[in-house]
Amino acid sequence: QVELVESGGGSVQAGGSLRLSCAASGYNFSRYNMGWFRQAPGQEREGVALIGKHGYTSYPDSVKGRFTISKDGAKNTLYLQMNSLKLEDTAMYYCAADSTLLWPPNQFTYVGQGILVTVSS
């Protein structure tokens, strides 16, 4: 049974940093593309980071240069380092996994329960 569990969310002031983690279990971590997407109230889901099974990474312009996705195969854990956070980064953040799809992460097969990130002024 595939399980993705996010942690590390919370409240931070604008300009600050947070690191999200996603503990994965129930599948071969190294054979899946992993990603993060977010959803703000009243907004559509937005993919914010991808790391492919071979290490390829991709980001939309809205977070490029501020967010970094990484993974630790030994720990079956995915990370999202978020720096220079802005008010508009406030959203629920979800970890996702898929064996074939590369983008967008919000359409991946497996999705975590989500974690809230709140950026305040």
Side-chain angles (χ1 to χ4, degrees):
Q1 177 179 341
V2 174
E3 188 172 26
L4 301 171
V5 180
E6 300 95 338
S7 61
S11 298
V12 63
Q13 287 192 320
S17 298
L18 278 177
R19 188 177 81 155
L20 303 183
S21 299
C22 172
S25 61
Y27 68 100
N28 191 325
F29 186 77
S30 65
R31 294 185 179 180
Y32 277 66
N33 302 315
M34 302 289 298
W36 293 90
F37 67 90
R38 65 188 179 187
Q39 188 166 26
Q43 302 294 317
E44 294 186 354
R45 292 180 170 185
E46 176 192 18
V48 296
L50 160 80
I51 186 163
K53 63 187 77 172
H54 301 300
Y56 166 81
T57 60
S58 182
Y59 309 88
D61 288 343
S62 59
V63 308
K64 195 174 294 183
R66 301 188 298 119
F67 289 13
T68 303
I69 189 171
S70 62
K71 61 183 178 179
D72 184 334
K75 297 181 179 179
N76 282 5
T77 300
L78 179 73
Y79 302 100
L80 183 67
Q81 179 66 43
M82 304 184 293
N83 299 329
S84 301
L85 283 162
K86 304 176 180 180
L87 297 180
E88 54 263 41
D89 293 319
T90 295
M92 285 291 290
Y93 283 74
Y94 299 86
C95 166
D98 198 282
S99 61
T100 56
L101 193 63
L102 269 179
W103 194 267
N106 44 294
Q107 294 185 14
F108 281 13
T109 301
Y110 302 110
V111 180
Q113 82 286 354
I115 195 160
L116 181 62
V117 171
T118 303
V119 184
S120 59
S121 58

